[in-house]
Amino acid sequence: MPETTPRGLTRLAFGGDYNPEQWPESVWHEDVRLMREAGVTMVSVGIFSWALLEPDPGAYDFGWLDRVLDLLDANGIRADLGTPTVAPPAWFYRAHPDALPVDRDGRRLAFGSRGAICHSSPAYRRAAARITTELARRYAGHPALALWHVHNEYGVPVSACYCDTCGAHFRQWLRARYGTVDAVNEAWGTAFWGQRYRGFEEIDPPRTTPTTGNPAQQLDYRRFADATLRENFVAERDILHRLAPGVPVTTNFMTALSQCDSIDYWAWGREVDIVTNDHYLITDGRRTHVNLAMAADLTRSVAGGAPWLLLEHATSGVNWQPRNPAKSPGEMARNSLAHVARGSEGAMFFQWRQSRRGAEKFHSAMVPHAGTDSRVWREVVELGRAVDSLAPLRATRTVADVAVLWDWQSWWAQQLEWRPSEDHDARERADTFYASLYDRHLTVDFAHPESDLSGYPLVVVPALYLTTEAAGRNLRGYVERGGTLVVSYFSGIVDEHDAVHPGAYPGALRDVLGLTVEEFSPLLAGETVRLTGAGGPDLTGDVWSEIVVPRGAETLWTYADGIPAGRPAVTRNRLGEGTAWYISSRLSGPDLDSVLERACEDAGIAPRTGLPRDVEVVRRSGGSGTYVFVINHTAADAKVALDSPGTDLLTGEHVAGALTAPAGAVRVVALEA
């Protein structure tokens, strides 16, 4: 079995993407000297180096990479070695122009960026296998090698190609999935608009059409595109496993819903030996540390709760957003240690030394253009010491309180055209529900709708438009056995083929919720509805309303106005030993919290009193003990009560009774047994 931790790494990972090929060799020795000063334990190398490693077809030049890896090893620094298959050389595209991807409008994208790949291309697959094989043969036994890093950020920037090669591959995929074209016709509902196919040869990718295309076909094509990327990862992984046994293989995910929507990470998490993730703050006015926490929780969940690794984030500003502010003093450390709190086995960055040329020359780095006489460098060195002090918590696991259901394939289906309201956004609902749980100081696991939920007293469903019958049975069983379920509107509507479940909405969730929905009534832009009743204070909803008919559920809040005035708005259904809540309008902030507060009471989750907003308290626990992270994102000192005394690993201070976390600071307490 492959290892699930980087080979030879005895401390937490700290470092970043290292691109020595961008610099004269005279700089390399300065680099490793500074790496040792900063406490770097691992760097990622070779990710974009195909053109240097194979300058001509079948002619390899590994000399420079030999020297880099030898230099790293001599200085006690481990290597996360990339297969450079995200960026084929110019000579490859000159020989195989049809390996460039084609968009839905039929335009072939050009060489000169990264990730310009038709992943169905046989020529690309052969070339990727050759360079991967050569790397594995040469470096399998190198003492610096800790981890293989396949490709880079699959799904970004090109997630799907629509060329004829992909069309042929898609037809093969459909044969394997459905067996017969009649089964495809049934699954896609091709009787609508006369789209019926007589044979597989008539099926093409869902290219641009005069109006909206078949939604089931589009959904299957997203599945196909994701599976095609995964096929290529698995092909490279299997080569590495065969030629370099014992060295774990990964590829860097981008699980944040703000960064990638084209990959089904539940499926990908089963294929890597170690789950790794890249995360970058999205400066769009949202609370960036909440998005960070959500991404870290989602990554840990994709890893099945096991420790994972933050493979990239930024020391300060990035360069690819409309506005790219610098991080405030101390923010780099808070960001890094928040990932560690939520399961990461370290904190790594893009990149080590800031590039002078290319598209990312304004992206921050561990060694900035300003050099070592800079705030960023001083914070990097300080963070290196902090990460090193946290070595005792390796292999411990983050302790979660509740679960949020998320399914990428449901998100794909909901994103298709002609839905009841363009204002309803699955990501917005997930962000909003997560923020409400975060503000209640609850640590969240994410879960697939068909997974075992028995360990969670509360399960929240912010957006599950596509709900399989199996998921519906799973949620019913969860509630019957004593669980508390909270479901938001427009969930349970369609099956895996985007076909509406027979009967009234919400289809697969009718029984567990104890109600039906006669009709959706989305609201106009800027329109709101008032919810009132015995459930608590009046609430305000926007975007969505529904005509709900209780079929056993009790009504807690009622629409006071709008088309459904007088009808139920928020309901609660007792089923077996548990309860299922339904929220039929878009609630946010205190309005949503009013409902979640009641649901938490049902679940037996006591309020976390005395903790200020934006002060995180997260636990990791395992064989070496229990560790409490207190992360203060506020401008005021915060006092947090502790269950037992312990020692702050970052300061060495013994703490009993209560811990004071200074403004903007992080504390990590190893509790005494």
Side-chain angles (χ1 to χ4, degrees):
M1 291 290 292
E3 292 293 325
T4 58
T5 58
R7 187 177 68 172
L9 193 63
T10 58
R11 295 176 288 166
L12 296 183
F14 183 66
D17 282 30
Y18 182 38
N19 298 293
E21 65 272 24
Q22 297 179 14
W23 301 91
E25 197 159 340
S26 59
V27 176
W28 300 358
H29 290 274
E30 174 72 0
D31 281 333
V32 294
R33 184 187 69 79
L34 292 176
M35 288 178 189
R36 293 180 65 175
E37 180 180 334
V40 167
T41 60
M42 186 168 75
V43 293
S44 301
V45 293
I47 296 169
F48 294 99
S49 300
W50 195 342
L52 295 178
L53 294 170
E54 190 179 5
D56 293 295
Y60 300 98
D61 178 6
F62 293 113
W64 69 272
L65 186 54
D66 290 347
R67 296 192 296 278
V68 168
L69 293 177
D70 290 347
L71 185 60
L72 293 172
D73 179 55
N75 286 271
I77 299 165
R78 311 296 291 167
D80 165 38
L81 182 55
T83 67
T85 51
V86 69
W91 60 254
F92 170 79
Y93 288 117
R94 186 172 179 85
H96 305 286
D98 57 351
L100 288 163
V102 174
D103 69 13
R104 287 190 69 183
D105 293 327
R107 298 174 301 177
R108 192 172 293 279
L109 305 182
F111 172 76
S113 178
R114 66 171 189 175
I117 299 165
C118 167
H119 280 269
S120 295
S121 164
Y124 169 76
R125 292 184 170 203
R126 289 192 299 268
R130 283 197 306 270
I131 187 66
T132 299
T133 299
E134 293 296 328
L135 283 164
R137 285 174 174 162
R138 190 170 190 93
Y139 297 114
H142 198 285
L145 179 61
L147 182 64
W148 288 109
H149 181 307
V150 171
H151 204 268
N152 183 73
E153 296 177 345
Y154 279 100
V156 177
V158 177
S159 60
C161 171
Y162 295 82
C163 72
D164 289 341
T165 302
C166 287
H169 191 188
F170 182 44
R171 290 187 283 274
Q172 293 173 2
W173 184 87
L174 291 172
R175 285 182 185 275
R177 183 176 178 87
Y178 292 106
T180 67
V181 74
D182 287 341
V184 174
N185 283 316
E186 175 64 23
W188 289 2
T190 56
F192 186 80
W193 279 357
Q195 296 171 358
R196 187 170 184 83
Y197 298 103
R198 297 172 303 164
F200 284 101
E201 68 280 359
E202 295 180 350
I203 301 174
D204 286 320
R207 301 178 178 121
T208 301
T209 51
T211 184
T212 185
N214 186 316
Q217 180 183 10
Q218 293 184 68
L219 177 58
D220 262 352
Y221 203 76
R222 295 196 71 161
R223 291 177 174 131
F224 157 76
D226 175 62
T228 300
L229 297 177
R230 200 161 55 250
E231 283 177 14
N232 285 354
F233 166 77
V234 167
E236 292 189 44
R237 180 204 65 192
D238 289 352
I239 291 170
L240 297 169
H241 278 171
R242 175 170 52 86
L243 297 176
V247 182
V249 181
T250 192
T251 186
N252 44 339
F253 294 169
M254 298 188 75
T255 62
L257 306 186
S258 54
Q259 290 174 243
C260 182
D261 67 355
S262 58
I263 299 294
D264 182 355
Y265 285 116
W266 293 124
W268 282 76
R270 296 189 291 268
E271 301 294 349
V272 296
D273 300 328
I274 304 172
V275 167
T276 62
N277 195 54
D278 298 351
H279 182 265
Y280 293 96
L281 301 181
I282 303 300
T283 53
D284 61 357
R286 306 181 196 220
R287 295 155 70 201
T288 57
H289 55 277
V290 180
N291 174 275
L292 184 157
M294 181 177 177
D297 284 343
L298 189 49
T299 307
R300 182 187 68 252
S301 302
V302 166
W308 55 279
L309 178 58
L310 175 67
L311 209 53
E312 287 184 28
H313 71 313
T315 57
S316 192
V318 298
N319 72 311
W320 39 264
Q321 298 184 70
R323 286 158 289 279
N324 298 284
K327 290 184 178 180
S328 60
E331 188 176 1
M332 180 206 309
R334 287 199 307 278
N335 290 168
S336 301
L337 298 180
H339 283 288
V340 175
R342 295 175 186 272
S344 177
E345 293 284 84
M348 298 182 66
F349 295 91
F350 179 85
Q351 59 180 326
W352 166 251
R353 185 179 287 273
Q354 196 166 15
S355 300
R356 290 186 57 228
R357 297 175 175 84
E360 294 184 290
K361 56 184 171 287
F362 298 118
H363 191 295
S364 61
M366 300 174 78
V367 182
H369 293 311
T372 56
D373 187 16
S374 63
R375 174 178 69 90
V376 165
W377 174 253
R378 287 186 285 272
E379 290 193 14
V380 163
V381 173
E382 183 179 352
L383 176 60
R385 288 194 291 265
V387 171
D388 187 60
S389 71
L390 300 182
L393 58 75
R394 289 180 73 221
T396 59
R397 295 192 173 208
T398 301
V399 180
D401 302 300
V402 299
V404 170
L405 295 195
W406 182 256
D407 180 19
W408 277 275
Q409 295 193 25
S410 177
W411 192 18
W412 298 344
Q414 190 178 299
Q415 289 174 327
L416 297 172
E417 305 96 334
W418 290 9
R419 300 314 189 214
S421 173
E422 66 178 15
D423 296 326
H424 172 52
D425 180 346
R427 178 200 157 190
E428 181 279 329
R429 284 292 80 193
D431 286 348
T432 298
F433 272 84
Y434 183 90
S436 289
L437 296 169
Y438 177 97
D439 286 341
R440 299 190 72 79
H441 300 284
L442 298 173
T443 301
V444 171
D445 274 349
F446 286 83
H448 187 274
E450 296 179 16
S451 64
D452 179 12
L453 304 172
S454 59
Y456 304 105
L458 175 67
V459 171
V460 172
V461 183
L464 196 62
Y465 162 75
L466 186 159
T467 309
T468 63
E469 290 184 5
R473 291 192 298 270
N474 189 45
L475 295 181
R476 180 184 177 111
Y478 165 75
V479 173
E480 288 176 332
R481 291 187 291 271
T484 300
L485 181 71
V486 178
V487 177
S488 186
Y489 66 89
F490 206 45
S491 294
I493 307 303
V494 300
D495 66 12
E496 62 270 30
H497 303 299
D498 197 47
V500 173
H501 286 287
Y505 310 129
L509 300 180
R510 280 193 306 261
D511 292 345
V512 69
L513 296 174
L515 55 82
T516 57
V517 173
E518 285 188 3
E519 196 173 359
F520 305 134
S521 185
L523 305 179
L524 301 180
E527 190 177 5
T528 62
V529 287
R530 187 164 57 91
L531 284 58
T532 188
D538 285 2
L539 312 176
T540 300
D542 64 2
V543 170
W544 196 273
S545 66
E546 294 178 342
I547 298 175
V548 175
V549 179
R551 308 286 184 183
E554 61 178 315
T555 300
L556 298 183
W557 276 271
T558 301
Y559 286 107
D561 50 24
I563 289 176
R567 299 274 193 155
V570 178
T571 63
R572 177 176 180 266
N573 188 43
R574 299 176 188 271
L575 184 66
E577 298 178 10
T579 57
W581 292 68
Y582 185 61
I583 304 171
S584 68
S585 184
R586 192 176 83 162
L587 304 182
S588 303
D591 297 303
L592 178 58
D593 190 61
S594 293
V595 179
L596 289 180
E597 180 179 14
R598 291 284 309 277
C600 284
E601 291 173 3
D602 273 2
I605 299 173
R608 308 283 167 86
T609 58
L611 286 176
R613 191 174 192 245
D614 293 327
V615 175
E616 298 182 40
V617 179
V618 183
R619 290 176 179 247
R620 285 185 63 157
S621 186
S624 64
T626 297
Y627 305 87
V628 177
F629 284 73
V630 179
I631 305 168
N632 187 354
H633 297 284
T634 77
D637 294 353
K639 186 168 286 190
V640 175
L642 296 176
D643 298 336
S644 59
T647 300
D648 183 351
L649 297 180
L650 301 180
T651 67
E653 175 189 1
H654 186 266
V655 185
L659 167 72
T660 297
V666 180
R667 294 291 180 260
V668 184
V669 178
L671 298 181
E672 296 176 3

